[in-house]
Amino acid sequence: MKKNRPEIPRKAIYRLSIYLRCLQRLKGNALRTVSSEALARAAGVKPTQLRKDLAYFGQFGTRGLGYDVEQLSRLITDLLGTNSLQPVLLVGAGNLGRALLAYRGFEPEGFEITAVFDADARQLKNISGRPALPMGRLADYVREHGVRMAILAVPAAAAQEVANSLTAAGVTGLLNFAPVVLEVPDDVTVNNVNLAIELENLSYFIQQ
Amino acid sequence: MKKNRPEIPRKAIYRLSIYLRCLQRLKGNALRTVSSEALARAAGVKPTQLRKDLAYFGQFGTRGLGYDVEQLSRLITDLLGTNSLQPVLLVGAGNLGRALLAYRGFEPEGFEITAVFDADARQLKNISGRPALPMGRLADYVREHGVRMAILAVPAAAAQEVANSLTAAGVTGLLNFAPVVLEVPDDVTVNNVNLAIELENLSYFIQQ
């Protein structure tokens, strides 16, 4: 499949997610079509940017009529692969891992944390509602359940080793909260989120 | 101050945060100096990248001896402005806002959520340990306490209005969790974090 896809900038994929949320709001307001100008405005981008982003995936919209809200939503959902609920593992049941479990804001978006792993058995004790397993079970679980995505909420010193286990078992998408740059095979995608680092980065800019 | 600073790429500032964490681990291991090769390896970047990033801020390290761990840590901390505890407001006490409050992982890094705001008084009820205030008090609070940074954990539909209030009151750094592109004045920096969108983005790439 890789070869048939054009090389799309990572930022364009992020914008698809933004467009999808705007379309969902329009659907909620019972709108059936939207002009590229109106959709671009709702998403906070220029209309040329919107048209360019969508053009990576083909021709959409009808001149003078705009986009069909339902159709474009479905198309973006298909592109993002979120048309069915995707299982995601959580590795690390410390403060951050627990906060992510409590959040649950992933679920309406098509992702479900199906199991939690931690090297420390004590961290696993009061997790309810889904399997809480020791690290030794990780590789088997990934293989048995065909899991492709995992969230890493482990300390920096453990992150690379956990990433190695996950990718060796077949995980190809990592959402990494540890403040390290992970080395992964070429077919694996890592998205990094570090909340303290985001604040530090802001802190630099507000001094200017 | 702005004029005296070179134009530093945003990514270089992110890497400073990574270098700082590596230096802190070295300090924890009682290391006093580190070569650029070893520090680069710990941070997962090339030594040329590390040297280029640091060169934006002057000349560091001694040929053959490497960097003084303590000195370089202090310098980066000064650059990032995290040498003293910085107050941060949290706007939005829903699921995500509560998860962020429970996390507390910002605090060792020099940030403290000093007050929580929400438009819905019911959301403010069981927040303990810090002021939980209605939105009407936001502007006064920002001005009285000289707050410069805020975390937005509000629904997409409310985010722009909240950003307007915050920036009008003097906040210049926003960590935005709402899935919208915020319009802000030129002197305001917005860093966007959207966990569902990060997963969606991974979901796109794991299909390839």
Side-chain angles (χ1 to χ4, degrees), chain A residues 13 60 94 101 137 152 156-157 160 170 174 184:
Chain A
I13 309 297
F60 309 106
L101 277 176
R137 296 282 309 281
L152 263 76
Q160 184 62 56
L174 295 175
V184 295

Side-chain angles (χ1 to χ4, degrees), chain B residues 154-174:
Chain B
V154 299
Q160 184 63 56
E161 196 184 333
V162 172
N164 295 347
S165 309
L166 285 165
T167 55
V171 166
T172 53
L174 294 175

Side-chain angles (χ1 to χ4, degrees), chain B residues 118-153:
Chain B
D118 201 291
D120 182 349
R122 286 167 302 179
Q123 298 278 36
L124 297 171
K125 272 190 181 149
N126 42 16
I127 287 170
S128 63
R130 61 204 105 191
L133 303 166
M135 292 299 285
R137 296 282 308 280
L138 187 63
D140 282 346
Y141 189 96
V142 169
R143 288 196 192 97
E144 278 162 28
H145 295 80
V147 178
R148 311 279 298 277
M149 297 173 69
I151 299 174
L152 263 74

